């Protein structure tokens, strides 16, 4: 009986630590400069004008989201945003589709 409880405890601990490990690895990967530069290049191709990104972060609280800090779209005159937060629809992510539930824009300067 004791062996069964030990196995169940190990399984529960592993299932609790796996999402934490995956979240930490994702947090580290997104925070790298290479990832930020690639995202800026993709945004530039999508928009058609140069885009600069200050930082990309994953925020876990209060709701998990991806945040872009210090975004500048180099139009004439340039558009700048202090922070953009995108909160996904989790059911769509499980179906391998990207769908944004909420988009929060803070500190936008549109001349």
């Amino acid at each position: 009986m004791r062996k069964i409880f030990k196995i169940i405890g190990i399984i529960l601990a592993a299932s609790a630590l796996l999402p934490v490990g995956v979240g930490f690895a994702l947090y580290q990967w997104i925070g790298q400069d290479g990832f930020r530069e690639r995202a800026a290049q993709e945004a530039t191709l999508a928009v058609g004008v140069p885009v600069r990104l200050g930082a990309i972060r994953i925020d876990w609280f209060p709701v998990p989201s991806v945040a872009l800090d210090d975004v500048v779209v180099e139009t004439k005159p340039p558009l700048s945003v202090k922070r953009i937060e995108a909160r996904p629809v989790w059911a769509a992510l499980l179906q391998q589709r990207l769908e944004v539930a909420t988009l929060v824009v803070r500190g936008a300067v549109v001349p």
Side-chain angles (χ1 to χ4, degrees):
M1 191 66 152
R2 189 178 270 211
K3 189 174 183 179
I4 292 173
F5 284 130
K6 186 176 181 180
I7 292 171
I8 291 172
I10 290 171
I11 291 171
L12 288 175
S15 18
L17 291 177
L18 183 64
V20 171
V22 169
F24 180 74
L26 184 63
Y27 182 80
Q28 292 296 320
W29 179 56
I30 286 180
Q32 293 179 350
D33 287 338
F35 185 84
R36 180 182 48 83
E37 290 169 4
R38 241 184 6 244
Q41 288 173 355
E42 290 296 324
T44 297
L45 289 174
V47 177
V49 294
V51 176
R52 287 185 291 140
L53 301 175
I56 301 175
R57 292 191 174 89
I58 294 181
D59 290 338
W60 300 104
F61 186 78
V63 177
S65 64
V66 176
L68 305 174
D69 292 332
D70 301 322
V71 179
V72 177
V73 180
E74 296 179 0
T75 57
K76 294 186 182 174
L79 307 173
S80 64
V81 178
K82 185 69 178 164
R83 185 173 180 90
I84 300 173
E85 294 176 19
R87 298 178 183 144
V89 174
W90 294 104
L93 282 179
L94 293 175
Q95 297 171 356
Q96 298 180 350
R97 290 183 298 119
L98 180 59
E99 188 176 327
V100 177
T102 307
L103 188 67
V104 179
V105 178
R106 296 188 174 129
V109 178
V110 183

